[in-house]
Amino acid sequence: MPSAASTTVRILIGGLTLLVAVGYKNYRDLGAPGKRPNLDNNEYWGPQLKGAYQENKAIKPYDISVAPELIADLKTQLERPLKVHDPLEGIGFEYGFNSNELKKVVKYWRDDYLPNWNKREEFLKKFQHFQTEIQGLKIHFIHAKPSNAKGKKVVPLLLMHGWPGTVREFYDFIPLLTKGSDKSEYVFEVIAPSLPGYGWSQSASRPGMGAAQVAVIMRNLMLRLGFDKFLIQGGDWGSLIGSNLASLFPENTLGYHSNMCGNNSPMGILRLMLSSIIPSFYIDSQYAQYYGGIGKVFETILEELGYAHIQATKPDTIGAALTHNPVGLAAYILEKFSTWTNPAYKNLKDGGLTKHFTYDQLLDNIMIYYVTNSITTSVRLYSESMGKAQLSLNVDSVPVKAPTACARFAYEMFHVPDSVLANKFPNLIQSTHYPDGGHFPAFQVPEQLYADFVSFVQKAFNQ
């Protein structure tokens, strides 16, 4: 007859074995592929109708000209005395946008930029702009065809921006894509839309349009233009919407290239936490410098993501504060082009704004938000994409089957290692790390982003 001690040991071993088995099953279940949600691919998002909806499928050239009276009113606002507090002694951008730098931006905007608005407007018109109606919304997009496709294979590309960007981010990137190079046999026909509620694209009239629903609209836009299969490239929201599109419509996705890779599936979140605690188990040692530990993750969340919490919970409040408030709008948006380009720039009194960008470039982007009155509608995407209804779709657990590439630029806020991306992107064929660049690579380092992108396309089409 076994002793009481041996019986206790057997019970403990049995219990531990059961816990391990249950834990393994739960871990395996976390990584189980999700099912594609049954979304309505024709869901109507426009203003309330009195009768049946008839979609206008016409594709029309779109004039982005700004009414002169709006420019005159903006000039009047910028001429008002700027009553801001002096920054604290020795402070750069640690407390947000430095008021001394803000004075310089406003002065340049008023005295140099606006007097040359006609030239800036012509520059913004350098590409062909169009508009078409998708699911009740008037969607704006740039359509840039190859300038010289001789001897090249032409591939359609859906190119998507995020917040606080606009299509302006792509003005140096698009010519590289459409001109091509000796390094690639491919050249691209680029469709760069303004996301719904951004720039010249109409916003939803009712709640519920999150990243998944925007992905449906973007896919329908490409179908409208005659592209049944296409590549996807994006960062920020463009990356998340692109990931959703590739998950929901594998039959239309030739490949997915992201410069802000993420995996918000339950398994992805668990692995990300573990990689922050025990990085050596999840991260290749040669790239360890790109990944911070758990302390760095929480430090970044606390210092840099306050805006996201506001926009996810009270988008209309922050929108009301910034609407037709050019100085506030500039401070709120341009701060991101400082610290998101390089977090060390927060220690500089000018925020390092002109280290990589010109005031003209930055103000072009601000102007698109201002003249289209789209700041409120743009930030609503945070609320719609982070609510229970959107999360319940579980798109994050649906794998992307298409060839995928992840380009990591050194000063992006977060980097996600390949081991964390694995269950979401089982066909990750290119993973790169760069010693420079930040959150806006198409704007900051377009040649580097282009080289990474064409390298991926070459691999994707020669698998």
Side-chain angles (χ1 to χ4, degrees), residues 236-451:
D236 197 87
W237 280 115
S239 177
L240 185 57
I241 293 165
S243 173
N244 274 238
L245 199 163
S247 295
L248 294 169
F249 304 106
E251 67 274 16
N252 301 118
T253 305
L254 292 173
Y256 167 66
H257 182 282
S258 171
N259 53 269
M260 196 188 81
C261 317
N263 179 5
N264 294 319
S265 70
M267 176 60 80
I269 293 170
L270 175 61
R271 286 179 174 173
L272 183 61
M273 292 175 62
L274 292 174
S275 71
S276 299
I277 299 169
I278 43 174
S280 60
F281 190 75
Y282 288 90
I283 298 168
D284 191 323
S285 59
Q286 65 177 316
Y287 301 123
Q289 71 270 24
Y290 289 87
Y291 304 91
I294 191 70
K296 181 64 176 176
V297 170
F298 279 105
E299 178 185 335
T300 302
I301 289 172
L302 290 172
E303 288 191 3
E304 295 297 335
L305 295 188
Y307 82 97
H309 188 251
I310 293 172
Q311 293 173 191
T313 55
K314 300 293 186 292
D316 285 20
T317 300
I318 189 62
L322 300 176
T323 296
H324 288 298
N325 172 8
V327 175
L329 183 68
Y332 191 70
I333 287 179
L334 292 184
E335 180 225 307
K336 307 308 179 192
F337 284 87
S338 168
T339 53
W340 292 5
T341 300
N342 187 328
Y345 291 169
K346 70 181 179 182
N347 300 311
L348 303 178
K349 292 185 178 181
D350 65 355
L353 281 177
T354 55
K355 284 183 176 291
H356 304 282
F357 312 111
T358 66
Y359 278 163
D360 283 346
Q361 288 178 305
L362 296 169
L363 289 170
D364 284 347
N365 187 64
I366 299 295
M367 286 293 286
I368 293 175
Y369 278 95
Y370 185 81
V371 302
T372 61
N373 192 25
S374 58
I375 186 62
T376 300
T377 53
S378 70
V379 299
R380 283 177 181 166
L381 183 56
Y382 286 78
S383 180
E384 301 293 7
S385 298
M386 298 180 184
K388 291 181 181 179
Q390 191 74 192
L391 297 177
S392 68
L393 296 175
N394 200 28
V395 181
D396 291 318
S397 293
V398 181
V400 172
K401 298 178 181 179
T404 300
C406 176
R408 301 175 183 85
F409 292 88
Y411 302 114
E412 180 61 88
M413 282 188 289
F414 297 100
H415 292 299
V416 179
D418 291 350
S419 57
V420 174
L421 299 173
N423 69 296
K424 177 65 180 178
F425 305 105
N427 196 9
L428 182 65
I429 63 171
Q430 178 172 293
S431 175
T432 48
H433 298 74
Y434 294 99
D436 197 8
H439 188 70
F440 309 97
F443 210 19
Q444 180 190 356
V445 286
E447 294 86 359
Q448 204 164 33
L449 182 62
Y450 170 75

Side-chain angles (χ1 to χ4, degrees), residues 223-234:
L223 295 181
R224 172 73 52 80
L225 297 174
F227 302 121
D228 294 330
K229 293 182 181 295
F230 47 88
L231 293 165
I232 302 166
Q233 202 290 323

Side-chain angles (χ1 to χ4, degrees), residues 89-214:
E89 294 178 3
I91 289 297
F93 270 51
E94 295 95 335
Y95 282 63
F97 206 98
N98 185 293
S99 57
N100 288 334
E101 175 64 15
L102 184 59
K103 292 175 184 177
K104 294 178 183 178
V105 171
V106 171
K107 184 179 186 300
Y108 184 87
W109 197 356
R110 180 191 63 228
D111 299 341
D112 295 276
Y113 184 92
L114 281 186
N116 290 298
W117 169 245
N118 288 340
K119 291 183 179 179
R120 298 315 305 165
E121 190 174 52
E122 284 304 311
F123 174 79
L124 292 173
K125 293 179 179 179
K126 68 181 285 188
F127 300 115
Q128 290 186 302
H129 295 254
F130 297 88
Q131 194 177 74
T132 191
E133 187 175 308
I134 304 286
Q135 297 171 242
L137 301 181
K138 295 176 181 177
I139 300 298
H140 159 266
F141 60 95
I142 288 171
H143 190 169
K145 296 182 179 181
S147 54
N148 182 9
K150 186 176 180 180
K152 300 284 188 180
K153 299 175 183 177
V154 180
V155 186
L157 168 64
L158 175 62
L159 180 62
M160 291 183 287
H161 66 84
W163 187 93
T166 62
V167 293
R168 175 62 181 90
E169 290 179 65
F170 302 134
Y171 271 55
D172 292 328
F173 187 44
I174 290 174
L176 299 173
L177 295 163
T178 56
K179 183 180 179 181
S181 73
D182 295 336
K183 298 179 180 179
S184 175
E185 61 186 293
Y186 298 98
V187 69
F188 306 96
E189 185 166 351
V190 179
I191 306 300
S194 294
L195 299 178
Y198 287 71
W200 299 282
S201 283
Q202 190 177 357
S203 63
S205 294
R206 59 180 179 81
M209 182 186 284
Q213 289 77 16
V214 175

Side-chain angles (χ1 to χ4, degrees), residues 3-161:
S3 66
S6 63
T7 301
T8 300
V9 169
R10 289 181 182 180
I11 292 172
L12 288 173
I13 293 174
L16 182 60
T17 302
L18 180 61
L19 284 173
V20 170
V22 170
Y24 175 75
K25 180 182 184 300
N26 289 339
Y27 181 82
R28 188 177 59 184
D29 289 346
L30 281 177
K35 295 181 180 179
R36 282 195 282 175
N38 186 24
L39 293 174
D40 180 357
N41 293 342
N42 298 297
E43 189 170 5
Y44 178 80
W45 294 101
Q48 190 171 6
L49 296 170
K50 294 182 180 179
Y53 170 59
Q54 293 293 326
E55 188 166 79
N56 184 350
K57 298 183 179 181
I59 300 167
K60 301 177 181 179
Y62 185 73
D63 184 4
I64 63 170
S65 297
V66 180
E69 54 268 28
L70 182 55
I71 299 300
D73 179 71
L74 172 58
K75 187 174 185 297
T76 298
Q77 292 196 60
L78 294 178
E79 286 174 343
R80 294 171 182 163
L82 188 55
K83 299 178 181 180
V84 292
H85 287 284
D86 291 336
L88 295 173
E89 294 178 3
I91 289 297
F93 270 51
E94 295 95 335
Y95 282 63
F97 206 98
N98 185 293
S99 57
N100 288 334
E101 175 64 15
L102 184 59
K103 292 175 184 177
K104 294 178 183 178
V105 171
V106 171
K107 184 179 186 300
Y108 184 87
W109 197 356
R110 180 191 63 228
D111 299 341
D112 295 276
Y113 184 92
L114 281 186
N116 290 298
W117 169 245
N118 288 340
K119 291 183 179 179
R120 298 315 305 165
E121 190 174 52
E122 284 304 311
F123 174 79
L124 292 173
K125 293 179 179 179
K126 68 181 285 188
F127 300 115
Q128 290 186 302
H129 295 254
F130 297 88
Q131 194 177 74
T132 191
E133 187 175 308
I134 304 286
Q135 297 171 242
L137 301 181
K138 295 176 181 177
I139 300 298
H140 159 266
F141 60 95
I142 288 171
H143 190 169
K145 296 182 179 181
S147 54
N148 182 9
K150 186 176 180 180
K152 300 284 188 180
K153 299 175 183 177
V154 180
V155 186
L157 168 64
L158 175 62
L159 180 62
M160 291 183 287
H161 66 84

